[in-house]
Amino acid sequence: MAELTPRQIVRELDRYIIGQDEAKKSVAIALRNRYRRSMVAESMRDEISPKNILMIGPTGVGKTEIARRLAKLVGAPFIKVEATKFTEVGYVGRDVESIVRDLVENAIRMVKDEHVKRVQPRAQVLAEDRLVTLMVHPPKKSASNPLDFLLGKKQEEQPSQEEQQKLSGKRDELRQQLLRGELEDHELEIEVEEAAPSLEVGGSSISIGDMMGNMMPKKTKLRRVKVKDARKILMQEESDKLIDQDAVQEEAILRAEQHGIVFIDEIDKIAGHRAGSGPDVSREGVQRDILPIVEGSTVNTKYGPVKTDYMLFIAAGAFHVAKVSDLIPELQGRFPVHVQLKSLTREDFQRILTQPDNALTLQYKALLAVDKVLLDFEDSAIEAIAEAAYTANETAEDIGARRLHAVFEQLLEDISFNAGDEDMPPVELKINGDYVRKHLRGENKPQDMKKYIL
């Protein structure tokens, strides 16, 4: 983060998101302020809280993508939630504290992956050694008695010294074959742990084994797999043994607290009339439940208490019907930075089709190249596709850049359907403006206005 200045952050976001410079500037400043906060004196650091952002704009203009790319840029734990999925305490639905729990789960997964990569070379050596042992001395299926486990009895018999000497030569030979990759498709039996039964409580799964404190021995079963698949299973088991789970949890909680980013979408859907009744009665209650999370509170998770004081919250909504002022004043105050995102223009659509990394045109080229159809989009085709998407958004619902997916599917429907024959030779297909206009007549036909006349 020390190397990422706000200008560099915006430059990175420009690789994937077109336009919306004001929103990019706001999130870049918020991200840089995190680094600045970490460098000030500790006595003042606790007093500096992140300035949460409220994005206002129609769907499909890049609100979610800006937040997601921002988190990916710095490796921060990220979660996207929809405000409409939560209900006031006392109503049936998700609890707002599950936002923090899900964020911590993402942080645990992220940190664990990083630790696994560090121990991967050592885990690979251990997994290879176990593979050789399994091929020389296959596991025998034996009925385990839980009472024997509690009394400390072991039923496994160790091979004699003579047998070990006989097997040592075979081990060396198998190890060399494994290193040369000659046994990848060889099948063997491997003993794996059975997943413990779980209960579904409040939309989340709870392991019965965890509830009992892992008192009972874990049940295992024999699986017959190929060597290449067994290596992955064994590497995962060895990695879990090598990494320090307590260190993973501590680091994940710290990262979630100091660097976590929570994106709350559709926040305008919980803004409504005050003191109402009927199906929308819990709207204001959801806002009041979200408020302590955004203000800063401590949420109990299965990994320990997690503080939300320094998490960055980014809320977004179209605010077509409701207004920002319809949110309760306390919640408005916790989102001091308001950013207005603009609808996409024809020029924006053209840039979306050509400039971003892995743009939509490149995606469809790669998809159809699998079936030997080599697409080439001319400049006139790009202009016609952008015009069709812009016109459709103007005459119908404005769904932003998502309109391009509908346009491309209609444009390439016949090509995608006819491609894929095994005997078909490679075909080069140039798509120009005339081809686009011919295949998108339904998108550009005048809208029937009679239905709006009373």
Side-chain angles (χ1 to χ4, degrees):
M1 285 192 56
E3 300 173 356
L4 285 172
T5 64
R7 290 180 182 274
Q8 290 172 326
I9 294 169
V10 171
R11 199 176 299 125
E12 286 295 317
L13 293 175
D14 284 339
R15 294 174 53 196
Y16 305 99
I17 301 136
I18 295 301
Q20 315 304 350
D21 295 332
E22 187 181 348
K24 291 176 186 173
K25 189 184 296 183
S26 297
V27 297
I29 292 170
L31 196 64
R32 184 63 181 181
N33 280 341
R34 285 188 156 181
Y35 170 71
R36 292 165 179 160
R37 174 182 171 272
S38 67
M39 301 303 292
V40 302
E42 192 170 351
S43 58
M44 187 180 292
R45 192 184 307 164
D46 294 339
E47 302 296 327
I48 301 173
S49 58
K51 307 305 179 285
N52 299 320
I53 301 168
L54 177 62
M55 294 185 181
I56 306 162
T59 183
V61 296
K63 300 189 294 293
T64 307
E65 194 65 16
I66 287 173
R68 182 180 287 115
R69 293 290 177 183
L70 187 74
K72 194 173 182 180
L73 188 61
V74 294
F78 173 79
I79 185 170
K80 174 187 178 292
V81 297
E82 293 184 7
T84 52
K85 295 289 179 68
F86 302 95
T87 58
E88 185 181 356
V89 174
Y91 288 79
V92 177
R94 292 196 66 190
D95 180 14
V96 293
E97 290 189 351
S98 64
I99 297 173
V100 180
R101 297 191 188 101
D102 292 343
L103 181 70
V104 173
E105 290 288 349
N106 289 350
I108 291 282
R109 194 179 306 114
M110 181 184 295
V111 174
K112 186 176 180 180
D113 289 343
E114 293 174 5
H115 283 238
V116 166
K117 286 180 182 177
R118 293 176 199 164
V119 301
Q120 192 169 4
R122 175 66 178 156
Q124 187 168 358
V125 173
L126 294 172
E128 295 280 355
D129 192 55
R130 284 182 62 187
L131 267 178
V132 174
T133 303
L134 285 168
M135 296 175 77
V136 173
H137 188 66
K140 296 179 180 178
K141 192 170 184 181
S142 59
S144 60
N145 188 349
L147 186 60
D148 292 341
F149 174 81
L150 293 173
L151 296 175
K153 295 182 180 180
K154 293 186 178 179
Q155 297 180 348
E156 295 183 3
E157 296 181 359
Q158 297 296 330
S160 65
Q161 189 172 0
E162 291 182 6
E163 291 176 338
Q164 289 179 356
Q165 290 175 353
K166 290 179 182 179
L167 295 174
S168 61
K170 190 176 181 181
R171 286 178 64 91
D172 293 336
E173 183 183 348
L174 286 171
R175 193 185 300 276
Q176 293 300 322
Q177 289 179 319
L178 275 176
L179 292 174
R180 292 194 296 266
E182 297 174 0
L183 302 175
E184 292 300 292
D185 292 329
H186 177 76
E187 288 190 347
L188 54 82
E189 284 190 332
I190 182 173
E191 198 172 17
V192 296
E193 293 181 0
E194 281 193 72
S198 58
L199 297 174
E200 194 79 16
V201 179
S204 60
S205 181
I206 299 176
S207 172
I208 295 178
D210 292 341
M211 292 171 62
M212 299 183 66
N214 296 319
M215 292 174 58
M216 298 299 293
K218 293 184 178 179
K219 296 178 67 176
T220 59
K221 62 179 180 180
L222 287 178
R223 280 184 61 190
R224 190 166 188 83
V225 294
K226 293 184 177 180
V227 167
K228 58 185 178 182
D229 298 321
R231 185 184 287 107
K232 295 177 184 177
I233 296 170
L234 295 175
M235 279 187 65
Q236 183 63 48
E237 290 182 2
E238 293 300 327
S239 298
D240 289 341
K241 294 175 185 175
L242 289 171
I243 62 177
D244 185 352
Q245 298 292 345
D246 292 334
V248 168
Q249 292 183 17
E250 289 176 11
E251 186 179 343
I253 289 176
L254 180 65
R255 194 177 295 188
E257 288 180 342
Q258 301 295 327
H259 305 289
I261 298 176
V262 178
F263 184 81
I264 306 175
D265 203 5
E266 307 288 355
I267 198 166
D268 57 318
K269 302 299 187 296
I270 61 170
H273 299 292
R274 311 268 171 83
S277 59
D280 298 331
V281 68
S282 67
R283 283 184 177 183
E284 189 173 337
V286 175
Q287 296 183 55
R288 296 200 178 279
D289 287 347
I290 290 176
L291 186 60
I293 305 291
V294 180
E295 281 183 335
S297 60
T298 301
V299 176
N300 290 319
T301 70
K302 66 179 181 180
Y303 304 105
V306 177
K307 294 174 65 177
T308 67
D309 300 64
Y310 306 110
M311 295 177 183
L312 177 64
F313 290 85
I314 302 175
F319 288 97
H320 287 313
V321 179
K323 303 185 292 294
V324 176
S325 57
D326 289 333
L327 294 170
I328 59 175
E330 298 90 333
L331 194 59
Q332 293 179 46
R334 298 308 299 178
F335 291 92
V337 182
H338 291 191
V339 182
Q340 189 77 42
L341 284 85
K342 302 172 184 175
S343 296
L344 299 174
T345 63
R346 293 183 183 85
E347 292 74 20
D348 289 334
F349 279 118
Q350 292 182 33
R351 292 169 61 197
I352 289 170
L353 292 171
T354 54
Q355 291 184 11
D357 293 2
N358 300 322
L360 211 53
T361 49
L362 300 178
Q363 293 177 28
Y364 277 96
K365 281 182 182 179
L367 283 173
L368 289 169
V370 174
D371 287 329
K372 303 176 185 177
V373 178
L374 308 178
L375 294 179
D376 182 23
F377 292 92
E378 297 182 358
D379 292 341
S380 60
I382 299 294
E383 293 173 3
I385 293 171
E387 176 66 31
Y390 176 77
T391 304
N393 278 348
E394 285 290 302
T395 55
E397 291 294 330
D398 185 359
I399 59 174
R402 295 187 180 92
R403 180 69 67 181
L404 288 172
H405 294 277
V407 171
F408 266 94
E409 288 298 323
Q410 183 179 353
L411 175 66
L412 302 175
E413 183 179 19
D414 293 337
I415 298 171
S416 299
F417 182 77
N418 294 316
D421 292 336
E422 293 182 2
D423 300 331
M424 189 180 76
V427 177
E428 292 187 8
L429 185 60
K430 287 186 177 292
I431 297 180
N432 54 27
D434 293 334
Y435 181 93
V436 173
R437 283 184 285 272
K438 179 181 178 182
H439 286 77
L440 294 180
R441 286 175 183 169
E443 291 285 333
N444 293 327
K445 66 182 181 181
Q447 192 176 7
D448 183 11
M449 305 300 290
K450 292 180 180 179
K451 62 182 180 180
Y452 298 110
I453 300 174
L454 295 177

